[in-house]
Amino acid sequence: MSGRREGLALVLAVTALLVLSVLTLGLLYVATQELLVVRAREAWFRARLGAESAVRAALAGWSTAEFRELPVGASRPVPGAAGVLPGGVRHGATVERLAGPLYLVRGEGWTGGEGGGSRAEAASAVLVRGIEPGEVWAGFAAAITSGGEVVVGGGGEVDGLDASAPPPGWPAALCPPTGGQEPGAWPGGAARPGIRVPDAAAVTAGDGSIHGEPPIAVDPGAADSATFARLGPLAWEDLEALADHIAGGALDLAPRYREGACDTAARGNWGSPLDPEGPCGDFFPLIFARGDLTIRSGAGQGVLVVGGDLVLERGVRFYGPVLVRGRTVVLEDAAIYGALRAGAHGASTVVDDGAVAYRSCAIARALARSPGLDRPLRSHARWWLPAF
Amino acid sequence: MRRAGFSLVELTVGLALLGVIGAAVVGLVQSVQRLARAQGARVELAEAVRIAGTVLVGEARVLEPGVDLGVLTADSVALRAFRGAGVVCGVVGEDVLVRYRGLRDPEPDKDSVLVLGPEEAAEQAVVLGASTAAPGGCPTGGGEEVYRWRLGIEPPAGTPVLLYESGSYHLAAGAFRYRRGESGRQPLTTEVVEAESSGFRALAEGGEGEAPPLALEVRLAVRAEGGRAGWPFRREARLRIAFLNRP
């Protein structure tokens, strides 16, 4: 018997298999397209995440001082913002100097390419306002600027004359140049008024001394309550948000060290003005007190902002600008080397050999080195910008 | 004598088998076709949701809600649609030179420009009076082009500017649509949107009120026929787009 059979079964089976194969391939194609679209979208989201991460990293490590010298229009990459996120998303950021105190932080994220994944790139941008020391400086035009009464008695001293001399204990080499137009110069060389008040009758000088050019300057603007709620471009809530230390109640000041370095987070460590070349000699914190503050002992430096009353007790020293919304009391042998701006509520007093002496060197160093004032400021509600 | 060929029985069995196999193949083909159509419909729905999500996320995330967000109704949202950004890099006569990077070229008389000053109060929206390319007018970075713009004001070099058009997104006539200014509403998706189950909503702290919203919520229900009548595919998505510039 012959092994050859005749019929259509094989042909039909092959045809059916072909049809099935074509349809399966079609389905596979649709599914593949769907997968590619999903992957492309995922890659876009991941790239966007990378770009936003780069911007946030640039802001987290922000130092206005690093970018202040950039010419307008110039940009520089931010080393700390470059990196790779889990999943291989690369990212980086640049900072561009804009007009005035503005900076543009632009982050970019890239994903895919090397491993055959979907390629995508995205950009993100934030508008940052830096704080220029000169903007803050402008508010300290005398040894004491007060919106209310000032009493100087019992051997107390207010001095606006010796403005450019280094404060006690500081070598002159630590002080930046003053009075010139060159970069880095500070407008602090000239003698200043001793006390600036809205009305000469607001000053009571018993057996204290007031020196300055003039000793008492009358300026109705000194009573403007709005000036006591701001420090240059910084509103009250900005100051609290940027502060390196939040203080309150009664406090003893002393520098603290950890493993030979300055422990900047330690309570009561406001730098070491009496040891300016020590580990805490360059630490000038921005200190914010919501209410009243009494400093019982020790010495500190930086930028001090007090929402209530400030009392400096016996022998306390503070180096730098001080803004107080309430009244200020400088007691026995205590001293402020820098400048004081006090509010209109109650009489500020300098008594019992206490002193407030204008020192441009202390103001300049505090404004230039304060970590709080070096941070980025969100001056616009429009902080994140569209980036293309 | 034996003759070559099929017997009646063989033919009958063969035809019967052919019929069975043919019917099976036809059924299979129809099933697979339905499956393919259903798959296509699913892709279409997913695509519609993706388009709405991608477009709106890209558009709305960087808005300043109190200023850039216009009238918001259940089926439409008006906004400033940013199309480019730049930095002023010089002044030429009455015009300014701008290093620009954007989704498209600037279009005078249709676009406006938001000029950002050093303080918030200095933000100013002006009409873009004229725009011409000015290659080489300023040094540029990657992807930037220089344009000469007439703004009616002369912001200093280094001033950031944003180019925008007035636009609105709609859930209308079965599709997700974009309307530029007063022009017609262009569909961004096929007509698969269920109007009654879709909509826009502003999310504010403590509920909807006078405060600028913190997020824009978009509910999108899409529906397509999968092949047989009465066998539709439906997909719902709810997007909450948080504004980065919330207060």
PDB file of all heavy atoms in Angstrom, chain A residues 19-32:
ATOM      1  N   VAL A  19      -2.886  32.323   9.398  1.00  0.00           N
ATOM      2  CA  VAL A  19      -3.827  33.373   9.833  1.00  0.00           C
ATOM      3  C   VAL A  19      -3.590  33.701  11.306  1.00  0.00           C
ATOM      4  O   VAL A  19      -3.514  34.866  11.700  1.00  0.00           O
ATOM      5  CB  VAL A  19      -5.279  32.909   9.594  1.00  0.00           C
ATOM      6  CG1 VAL A  19      -6.266  33.872  10.272  1.00  0.00           C
ATOM      7  CG2 VAL A  19      -5.563  32.826   8.111  1.00  0.00           C
ATOM      8  N   LEU A  20      -3.455  32.663  12.104  1.00  0.00           N
ATOM      9  CA  LEU A  20      -3.225  32.865  13.539  1.00  0.00           C
ATOM     10  C   LEU A  20      -1.926  33.634  13.787  1.00  0.00           C
ATOM     11  O   LEU A  20      -1.865  34.543  14.622  1.00  0.00           O
ATOM     12  CB  LEU A  20      -3.146  31.516  14.249  1.00  0.00           C
ATOM     13  CG  LEU A  20      -4.475  30.923  14.685  1.00  0.00           C
ATOM     14  CD1 LEU A  20      -4.244  29.539  15.272  1.00  0.00           C
ATOM     15  CD2 LEU A  20      -5.137  31.824  15.723  1.00  0.00           C
ATOM     16  N   SER A  21      -0.906  33.277  13.015  1.00  0.00           N
ATOM     17  CA  SER A  21       0.383  33.944  13.197  1.00  0.00           C
ATOM     18  C   SER A  21       0.275  35.418  12.883  1.00  0.00           C
ATOM     19  O   SER A  21       0.783  36.281  13.618  1.00  0.00           O
ATOM     20  CB  SER A  21       1.446  33.305  12.294  1.00  0.00           C
ATOM     21  OG  SER A  21       1.557  31.955  12.587  1.00  0.00           O
ATOM     22  N   VAL A  22      -0.405  35.722  11.760  1.00  0.00           N
ATOM     23  CA  VAL A  22      -0.547  37.133  11.365  1.00  0.00           C
ATOM     24  C   VAL A  22      -1.296  37.912  12.444  1.00  0.00           C
ATOM     25  O   VAL A  22      -0.898  39.016  12.847  1.00  0.00           O
ATOM     26  CB  VAL A  22      -1.264  37.222  10.000  1.00  0.00           C
ATOM     27  CG1 VAL A  22      -1.656  38.659   9.702  1.00  0.00           C
ATOM     28  CG2 VAL A  22      -0.359  36.691   8.899  1.00  0.00           C
ATOM     29  N   LEU A  23      -2.407  37.314  12.919  1.00  0.00           N
ATOM     30  CA  LEU A  23      -3.199  38.009  13.943  1.00  0.00           C
ATOM     31  C   LEU A  23      -2.410  38.165  15.245  1.00  0.00           C
ATOM     32  O   LEU A  23      -2.453  39.213  15.898  1.00  0.00           O
ATOM     33  CB  LEU A  23      -4.490  37.248  14.201  1.00  0.00           C
ATOM     34  CG  LEU A  23      -5.490  37.344  13.048  1.00  0.00           C
ATOM     35  CD1 LEU A  23      -6.633  36.382  13.272  1.00  0.00           C
ATOM     36  CD2 LEU A  23      -6.008  38.765  12.927  1.00  0.00           C
ATOM     37  N   THR A  24      -1.672  37.139  15.603  1.00  0.00           N
ATOM     38  CA  THR A  24      -0.869  37.234  16.830  1.00  0.00           C
ATOM     39  C   THR A  24       0.188  38.323  16.698  1.00  0.00           C
ATOM     40  O   THR A  24       0.428  39.100  17.617  1.00  0.00           O
ATOM     41  CB  THR A  24      -0.188  35.880  17.120  1.00  0.00           C
ATOM     42  OG1 THR A  24      -1.189  34.871  17.128  1.00  0.00           O
ATOM     43  CG2 THR A  24       0.524  35.908  18.463  1.00  0.00           C
ATOM     44  N   LEU A  25       0.800  38.375  15.522  1.00  0.00           N
ATOM     45  CA  LEU A  25       1.800  39.411  15.291  1.00  0.00           C
ATOM     46  C   LEU A  25       1.168  40.801  15.398  1.00  0.00           C
ATOM     47  O   LEU A  25       1.764  41.743  15.935  1.00  0.00           O
ATOM     48  CB  LEU A  25       2.446  39.228  13.914  1.00  0.00           C
ATOM     49  CG  LEU A  25       3.523  38.147  13.844  1.00  0.00           C
ATOM     50  CD1 LEU A  25       4.002  37.975  12.401  1.00  0.00           C
ATOM     51  CD2 LEU A  25       4.706  38.517  14.730  1.00  0.00           C
ATOM     52  N   GLY A  26      -0.054  40.907  14.850  1.00  0.00           N
ATOM     53  CA  GLY A  26      -0.766  42.192  14.943  1.00  0.00           C
ATOM     54  C   GLY A  26      -0.983  42.600  16.386  1.00  0.00           C
ATOM     55  O   GLY A  26      -0.734  43.741  16.779  1.00  0.00           O
ATOM     56  N   LEU A  27      -1.456  41.637  17.166  1.00  0.00           N
ATOM     57  CA  LEU A  27      -1.680  41.921  18.588  1.00  0.00           C
ATOM     58  C   LEU A  27      -0.379  42.290  19.289  1.00  0.00           C
ATOM     59  O   LEU A  27      -0.314  43.208  20.091  1.00  0.00           O
ATOM     60  CB  LEU A  27      -2.293  40.697  19.266  1.00  0.00           C
ATOM     61  CG  LEU A  27      -3.794  40.565  19.169  1.00  0.00           C
ATOM     62  CD1 LEU A  27      -4.219  39.253  19.812  1.00  0.00           C
ATOM     63  CD2 LEU A  27      -4.484  41.721  19.847  1.00  0.00           C
ATOM     64  N   LEU A  28       0.643  41.549  18.938  1.00  0.00           N
ATOM     65  CA  LEU A  28       1.951  41.819  19.551  1.00  0.00           C
ATOM     66  C   LEU A  28       2.413  43.226  19.195  1.00  0.00           C
ATOM     67  O   LEU A  28       2.956  43.953  20.034  1.00  0.00           O
ATOM     68  CB  LEU A  28       2.956  40.780  19.048  1.00  0.00           C
ATOM     69  CG  LEU A  28       4.308  40.770  19.755  1.00  0.00           C
ATOM     70  CD1 LEU A  28       4.141  40.376  21.212  1.00  0.00           C
ATOM     71  CD2 LEU A  28       5.264  39.816  19.052  1.00  0.00           C
ATOM     72  N   TYR A  29       2.159  43.627  17.950  1.00  0.00           N
ATOM     73  CA  TYR A  29       2.558  44.959  17.505  1.00  0.00           C
ATOM     74  C   TYR A  29       1.834  46.027  18.322  1.00  0.00           C
ATOM     75  O   TYR A  29       2.438  46.981  18.819  1.00  0.00           O
ATOM     76  CB  TYR A  29       2.253  45.110  16.010  1.00  0.00           C
ATOM     77  CG  TYR A  29       2.497  46.503  15.498  1.00  0.00           C
ATOM     78  CD1 TYR A  29       3.798  46.954  15.260  1.00  0.00           C
ATOM     79  CD2 TYR A  29       1.439  47.374  15.278  1.00  0.00           C
ATOM     80  CE1 TYR A  29       4.027  48.245  14.819  1.00  0.00           C
ATOM     81  CE2 TYR A  29       1.656  48.658  14.829  1.00  0.00           C
ATOM     82  CZ  TYR A  29       2.963  49.091  14.601  1.00  0.00           C
ATOM     83  OH  TYR A  29       3.182  50.367  14.173  1.00  0.00           O
ATOM     84  N   VAL A  30       0.512  45.844  18.476  1.00  0.00           N
ATOM     85  CA  VAL A  30      -0.276  46.823  19.251  1.00  0.00           C
ATOM     86  C   VAL A  30       0.238  46.894  20.680  1.00  0.00           C
ATOM     87  O   VAL A  30       0.445  47.986  21.231  1.00  0.00           O
ATOM     88  CB  VAL A  30      -1.774  46.432  19.225  1.00  0.00           C
ATOM     89  CG1 VAL A  30      -2.558  47.300  20.201  1.00  0.00           C
ATOM     90  CG2 VAL A  30      -2.336  46.577  17.822  1.00  0.00           C
ATOM     91  N   ALA A  31       0.469  45.710  21.247  1.00  0.00           N
ATOM     92  CA  ALA A  31       0.934  45.685  22.640  1.00  0.00           C
ATOM     93  C   ALA A  31       2.309  46.333  22.761  1.00  0.00           C
ATOM     94  O   ALA A  31       2.592  47.064  23.714  1.00  0.00           O
ATOM     95  CB  ALA A  31       0.980  44.256  23.144  1.00  0.00           C
ATOM     96  N   THR A  32       3.164  46.085  21.775  1.00  0.00           N
ATOM     97  CA  THR A  32       4.504  46.669  21.811  1.00  0.00           C
ATOM     98  C   THR A  32       4.434  48.193  21.718  1.00  0.00           C
ATOM     99  O   THR A  32       5.138  48.912  22.427  1.00  0.00           O
ATOM    100  CB  THR A  32       5.359  46.116  20.651  1.00  0.00           C
ATOM    101  OG1 THR A  32       5.333  44.696  20.720  1.00  0.00           O
ATOM    102  CG2 THR A  32       6.790  46.587  20.752  1.00  0.00           C
TER     103      THR A  32
END
